[in-house]
Amino acid sequence: MASLSETDGMRMFMLPNDVGADMEFTGVLCSENMYHDQEAGTVTKQRLYLTDTREQVYSVVVSDGVNKDQRVYKMRVENDQCRIDNGLFDVSLDLHLLATVVRGLCGLNSADNAEEFFSTMVERLHAANA
């Protein structure tokens, strides 16, 4: 698998993880989002990284100002499987099953262009891991 170089803005990250082992990788920050939940009194920070080996690392930090919950997930596509590692467990999900779950969470049903949704999702997962 081709690696990205330091000239692509790659740097070393060590992300703390309250669920399993901390995650260390070389990569680049691709996306960042933060929002406040007034009802729960929490701030959630989400970050998405692309590693030098074309894996995606997803970090979620939720804090109420006193307590902080930090979780990290490393994801990669291998053939028709999506492997997700949270530092404690490494599980594989069939891409069709993953698409079904995501479709359900998004409130889509078979009448809502589900096949087009699945095809686009699989195409993007494969492109991100190419």
Side-chain angles (χ1 to χ4, degrees):
M1 185 174 288
S3 294
L4 298 173
S5 69
E6 288 184 20
T7 59
D8 294 322
M10 295 279 148
R11 71 179 191 90
M12 194 66 144
F13 290 93
M14 172 61 87
L15 301 180
N17 189 6
D18 293 339
V19 173
D22 292 348
M23 294 235 183
E24 184 175 0
F25 60 93
T26 300
V28 62
L29 178 63
C30 296
S31 178
E32 185 173 26
N33 184 3
M34 184 170 61
Y35 60 91
H36 178 256
D37 183 334
Q38 189 169 348
E39 190 173 304
T42 59
V43 173
T44 300
K45 222 186 269 190
Q46 302 173 351
R47 291 183 174 142
L48 181 64
Y49 303 84
L50 179 63
T51 73
D52 61 344
T53 57
R54 299 281 186 192
E55 296 171 313
Q56 293 86 42
V57 176
Y58 176 61
S59 165
V60 181
V61 178
V62 180
S63 176
D64 63 7
V66 176
N67 301 304
K68 186 188 288 188
D69 181 46
Q70 304 171 106
R71 297 176 187 243
V72 183
Y73 306 90
K74 186 182 291 184
M75 299 165 284
R76 62 192 171 281
V77 174
E78 296 174 350
N79 300 317
D80 286 338
Q81 299 285 309
C82 181
R83 292 195 59 184
I84 303 169
D85 177 3
N86 72 350
L88 185 59
F89 298 105
D90 189 348
V91 298
S92 292
L93 292 172
D94 178 82
L95 287 177
H96 292 279
L97 176 59
L98 179 61
T100 301
V101 170
V102 170
R103 202 169 47 226
L105 290 172
C106 293
L108 300 173
N109 61 38
S110 58
D112 294 328
N113 300 323
E115 273 310 307
E116 181 181 335
F117 170 82
F118 175 73
S119 296
T120 302
M121 181 181 146
V122 170
E123 181 180 304
R124 288 183 181 169
L125 283 169
H126 282 293
N129 286 272

